[in-house]
Amino acid sequence: MGMGIGMSERPEGTPKILVIDDEGDVGDIIVSTAQSMNMGCTATTNAADFLKALVPDVTLIMMDLAMPETDGIELLRLLGQKQCKAGIVLMSGFDRRVLETAEQLGRSLGLSAVAQLQKPFRLPELESILRNHARNKTPEPSAQRLPVAIPDQDMRRAVERSEFVLFYQPQVEISTSRVVGLEGLVRWQHPERGMVFPDSFIKRLESLELIDELGWIVIKRGLSEIGQFVRRDGTPLTVSINASAQSLHDLEFPDKVQALVKQRAVPPHHIVLEITESSLIRELSNALDILSRLRMKGMQLSIDDFGTGYAMMQQLRYVPATELKIDKTFVQEMQSKIDARVVVQKTIELGHELGMRVLAEGVETEEQLEFLRAHQCDLVQGYLISRPLPVPKLSEWLANSPYAA
Ligand code: C2E
Ligand code: CA
Ligand code: CA
């Protein structure tokens, strides 16, 4: 777990906390607790002071939802508009459901809600939140995971020269403990910087309108590599490809994919196209047209990051997907939050009722696997089984792992 990095003497990574609560003594308690833990902390009691104190290096915001003069929800929206990057802890004397709903709202605004603190809270609860925050702020050893600034011309060249490779992460059927599929995750093999992760370039490619081209590079690669990956008993594996939201704009997308699939002689049902819930919501009418035609052509469809879009439940029954993919944030919060457990359990039930198989991603522990098994989840993917692997490592894994027998 711990990376063995000391928690003191970190002048740069020192967390900066900003509190807004109309009850001044709540702010005082948080300030003194944070200071005793070596963290900088400012407390405010109204929106004007709060916004003044909201400098870019604030890493954690703790806010009361119910304040007489200021609407906590309104403030959340404002933070969303400012594209605030700080973690957010919601505090309230309301019951847990209100906090969960506000947290969900925060997420839909692109904010990262890190915890909830129900009032009145006990000191150990507060300390635990602050401690976790400090730990997560500890700089990561692999600098490449942090978004890096890359000039436009580098991006264009990368697409022109196809400097991208796919890493593959196994997907295992829980009931048989056998690998049944692989998700292809793109990596950029930068000539000088080495391996660059998608967080650093997907958004950039979108804004440069090159994301479509990346999509085709990835699909072609996936199709040409999939044939060599089989289980030791000869069973072929499916390959899941992340389709960008952009593909849901292109009414010719199904025909183009079908042509490639035919050309490479890959059975269409070995292909799973992953579409994120949020892009589905945005593009619903086009999406239904495109997705139905992909299904009619035999390809499988997976709804990725399920649960993060929160408006989807209603429309889901119209989407002809074969798989529902529970977002890893829910899987990882299963242990600590009742509501995450309920979301996971209900998503599994819902998926099954709609005739889809359900895959949980981001599974890191045996406990998570056991919970998912107990609730009849079909498939798992995550570090517990394997990290995403480059092709040679994947071949090794297929030759040796008990999951690939
Ligand atoms: P995603 O589709 O939700 O992919 C899952 C991400 O979770 C991957 O990050 C994977 O490495 C990571 N992951 C897998 N298992 C675990 C685990 O047990 N614990 C934790 N903490 N993380 C785990 P990655 O590879 O950095 O990809 C990030 C995102 O970039 C993907 O999220 C996907 O949205 C996007 N992406 C990746 N490849 C492509 C692509 O070919 N095309 C497009 N358009 N987007 C892609
Ligand atoms: Ca995915
Ligand atoms: Ca996902």
Side-chain angles (χ1 to χ4, degrees), residues 48-118:
D49 290 348
F50 172 79
L51 293 172
K52 231 177 283 160
L54 183 63
V55 287
D57 59 350
V58 167
T59 54
L60 187 71
I61 292 171
M62 302 189 62
M63 72 192 288
D64 188 7
L65 273 183
M67 295 173 286
E69 318 258 297
T70 314
D71 181 343
I73 300 289
E74 204 50 41
L75 217 46
L76 272 184
R77 284 197 193 285
L78 203 68
L79 292 174
Q81 279 162 16
K82 286 177 176 278
Q83 302 187 321
C84 172
K85 292 281 168 291
I88 295 177
V89 178
L90 298 172
M91 306 186 286
S92 157
F94 296 134
D95 75 21
R96 226 163 236 299
R97 297 230 51 96
V98 177
L99 285 174
E100 300 274 350
T101 308
E103 179 173 329
Q104 191 68 280
L105 171 69
R107 245 192 239 132
S108 74
L109 294 167
L111 300 170
S112 70
V114 291
Q116 304 162 358
L117 193 55
Q118 197 167 17

